[in-house]
Amino acid sequence: MRTQVAIVGAGPAGLMLSHLLRLEGIDSIILENRSREYIESRIRAGLIEQWASDLLVETGVGERMQREGMFHNGVYFAFAGALHYINFRELVGKGITIYGQQEVIKDLVARRLADGGQILFEVADVSVHDLGGKAPKIRFQHAGKQHEIVCDFIGGCDGFHGICRPSIPASALTAYDREYPFNWVGILSESPPPEHELIYSYHDRGFALYTMRSPTLARLYVQCPPDDDIENWPDTRIWQELHARLGGTRPLAEGTMLQKGITTMRSFVLEPMQYGRLFLAGDSAHIQPPTGAKGMNLALADVLVLCRAITKYYRSGNTDLLERYSATCLRRVWKAQRFSWWMTQLFHLDPNHNAFDRRRQLAELDYVTSSQAAARSMAENYTGLPVEA
Ligand code: RFL
Ligand code: PHB
């Protein structure tokens, strides 16, 4: 088999890369180790930055999002028993869209297949070879047979637990890492969210987040200890904490829990995001705690930069954008990391904090929700920084 760009992973990064390349007339093949059903039902991110929702619309995969997504002009911070609204639209003229990542996945898979794109699901034993040369290769098993793809470039879009990052010699990479002394218990509940926009809540019992997938489907999170097990969280305990951590600011309706799990918190950046002709994009190169809602958005930004670089190469033979890929992405990645860390340290109850830190957090929450300058900075980062051309 032969293609121009072989892509490992059919998450937001891999699918969007393949879609963007196709719009430029560049061929690709996607290899995914899970089934189509699995990737289309995996519940993950739900928040799309303004530029990213614009990109989905401009590239012809945003039609259902425009119909079914929920467009938000701002966000609520709850602390000291009151709700404080940050109005993104007034501050920076932008908003965000709530639309499940699995819906973005469904829309991209459908579009790739309609356009004649190749996605091989349920592949096994994927390995990458000859990364330093001009004809890198991918070997894998599919439907019981061994295959090899020869290509010009490999898109390493296989997430945090994929094989692309570990295939790069460790001596060529530097990893920057931070763990947090807490995680989140997350549920999907058949009930209306307490507000039509998101509530991030600071509380003495710990952080909680009230988001949604639709007006009748709430996505709710509570902070838990780092080594906690979901077995320790019967439904009644989750509801109790969710009620308490809203701090009396809104009533909370309970509903049937459709899904329940633990989300781990970590910041991780790998430098550089490239080795020879292997280009890492999305979670394979960086992850961040979900407090800033940056993961899916960063994945889309990386592949937009990568597609522009590959397109320039095929049009003119010029490799300057390819050489700058990692540096271009990392400038934005580090700002998103900084913001995700900032939101995380601002809202969580941290066992390493003392009474001084709690007062300091409250002062910062008060500052962000009362100073136009501070609120504008928050709004600019939350709705998404521009992607460098
Ligand atoms: P993905 O989505 O993990 O996709 C990687 C794909 O590669 C496949 N794969 C392989 N395929 C072939 N061979 C192998 N050896 C392979 N190994 C893996 C996997 O099956 C998968 O299909 O990475 P990608 O594309 O980089 O996208 C990243 C996002 O998925 C991730 O950053 C977000 O979900 C993070 N995130 C959020 N991001 C946001 O922008 N906004 C949010 O509101 C938000 N909320 C969240 C989140 C992540 C969460 N969890 C579960 C970690 C909320 C949660 C709870
Ligand atoms: C979500 O809707 O799942 C979501 C929204 C914002 C976050 C994290 C998760 O910060």
Side-chain angles (χ1 to χ4, degrees), residues 3 23 79 143 182 187 191 197 222 236 326 338 351 356 362 387:
T3 190
L23 297 177
F79 58 94
F182 37 75
I187 65 161
S191 51
E197 293 180 339
V222 288
T236 47
S326 177
R338 198 277 311 167
F356 174 89
L362 280 167
V387 181

Side-chain angles (χ1 to χ4, degrees), residues 36 40 105-115 119:
R36 179 174 178 183
E40 290 188 344
I105 297 289
K106 282 182 207 163
D107 295 343
L108 283 168
V109 168
R111 178 60 190 263
R112 283 310 294 125
L113 296 179
D115 285 346
I119 310 173

Side-chain angles (χ1 to χ4, degrees), residues 290-363:
T291 329
K294 293 295 172 220
M296 171 167 52
N297 296 294
L298 279 180
L300 297 175
D302 288 350
V303 299
L304 182 57
V305 173
L306 183 55
C307 177
R308 287 173 181 160
I310 292 175
T311 303
K312 183 164 185 189
Y313 168 81
Y314 281 119
R315 296 272 151 79
S316 65
N318 190 328
T319 57
D320 63 341
L321 292 186
L322 283 168
E323 283 152 25
R324 289 213 302 273
Y325 167 74
S326 177
T328 304
C329 289
L330 285 168
R331 275 188 77 193
R332 192 173 184 282
V333 164
W334 272 112
K335 285 177 202 135
Q337 286 289 350
R338 198 277 311 167
F339 180 71
S340 302
W341 164 85
W342 177 78
M343 285 283 285
T344 302
Q345 62 80 36
L346 177 59
F347 274 101
H348 287 80
L349 184 62
D350 186 325
N352 304 313
H353 281 172
N354 63 16
F356 174 89
D357 294 295
R358 297 297 280 172
R359 283 284 188 280
R360 189 258 305 159
Q361 286 174 316
L362 280 167

Side-chain angles (χ1 to χ4, degrees), residues 7-15 31-34 38-39 42-49 98 101 105 123-126 156-164 184 186 200 213 219 221 262-264 281-288 290 292-300:
I7 298 169
V8 188
L15 288 164
L31 305 176
E32 166 60 51
N33 63 1
R34 301 289 193 155
Y38 183 90
I39 65 158
R42 186 165 49 189
I43 295 174
R44 284 191 157 189
L47 192 148
I48 306 179
E49 294 173 353
I98 291 289
Q101 177 170 317
I105 297 289
V123 302
D125 299 330
V126 178
C157 303
D158 52 348
F160 190 61
H161 302 286
I163 56 97
C164 289
W184 290 3
Y200 286 79
R213 288 296 175 268
R219 179 86 171 130
Y221 301 93
I262 292 206
T263 299
T264 54
D283 278 16
S284 71
H286 43 70
I287 53 169
Q288 45 288 313
K294 293 295 172 220
M296 171 167 52
N297 296 294
L298 279 180
L300 297 175

